[in-house]
Amino acid sequence: MAFIPWDEKYSVKIKSIDDQHKKLFGMVNELHDSMLHGKSKEVMGKVLAELVNYTASHFAIEEDYMKKYAFSGYDAHKKEHDDLAKQATDVLNNFTSGKTVLSMAVMDFLKDWLYKHILKTDLLYVEHLIAKGVK
Ligand code: FEO
């Protein structure tokens, strides 16, 4: 069983964004597997760095859609993205510098922000973007 299995309740009904979210789930699961199987710091650091980079590009794509289609919740959503991106970068930097190790607390933090952000914030733009024809 995956650490965070995909479920239709996380779907935003926009395939391109669902695919990105599924990839993020997959990366968190890969990181969890790496931790459980005692992979080297280099391997885990590489997966974590990829997760942070992919998160940044995913956020940028959503922000482009919201701006392009004048979604009224853009500013609040962007602020949440910026906060999350900073937290994820802090996790990476603390891991890389040896300040923290990858633990279940870190994994739970990554899981929580992914779940909460999708369910509480991403779902807010769904109706607006679908009405604009985003697929
Ligand atoms: Fe799917 Fe707002 O991140």
Side-chain angles (χ1 to χ4, degrees), residues 12 17 20-21 24 55 58-60 62-63 66 77-78 80-81 84 113-114 117-118 121-123 125:
V12 296
I17 295 179
Q20 292 165 30
H21 286 157
L24 286 170
T55 298
H58 165 65
F59 284 173
E62 280 188 358
E63 288 161 18
M66 288 188 279
H77 200 134
K78 167 86 170 105
E80 199 169 311
H81 279 176
L84 290 171
W113 77 243
L114 198 52
H117 182 73
I118 291 175
T121 307
D122 284 351
L123 288 178
Y125 62 54

Side-chain angles (χ1 to χ4, degrees), residues 56-131:
S57 63
H58 165 65
F59 284 173
I61 289 168
E62 280 188 358
E63 288 161 18
D64 283 348
Y65 277 141
M66 288 188 279
K67 257 200 299 203
K68 182 175 178 184
Y69 297 111
F71 174 57
S72 61
Y74 171 82
D75 288 345
H77 200 134
K78 167 86 170 105
K79 185 184 179 319
E80 199 169 311
H81 279 176
D82 290 348
D83 290 347
L84 290 171
K86 185 185 177 315
Q87 288 169 11
T89 302
D90 286 347
V91 167
L92 175 62
N93 289 340
N94 287 339
F95 176 75
T96 310
S97 69
K99 199 168 165 187
T100 56
V101 294
L102 213 51
S103 62
M104 276 314 292
V106 172
M107 294 309 310
D108 283 339
F109 159 77
L110 292 171
K111 175 175 76 174
D112 277 1
W113 77 243
L114 198 52
Y115 277 178
K116 283 183 190 154
H117 182 73
I118 291 175
L119 290 176
K120 287 187 180 166
T121 307
D122 284 351
L123 288 178
L124 297 175
Y125 62 54
V126 171
E127 200 177 330
H128 185 81
L129 293 188
I130 288 177

Side-chain angles (χ1 to χ4, degrees), residues 40-67:
S40 68
K41 186 179 172 189
E42 285 70 27
V43 169
M44 290 192 288
K46 187 167 175 286
V47 178
L48 188 55
E50 284 169 0
L51 173 63
V52 169
N53 287 337
Y54 191 74
T55 298
S57 63
H58 165 65
F59 284 173
I61 289 168
E62 280 188 358
E63 288 161 18
D64 283 348
Y65 277 141
M66 288 188 279
K67 257 200 299 203

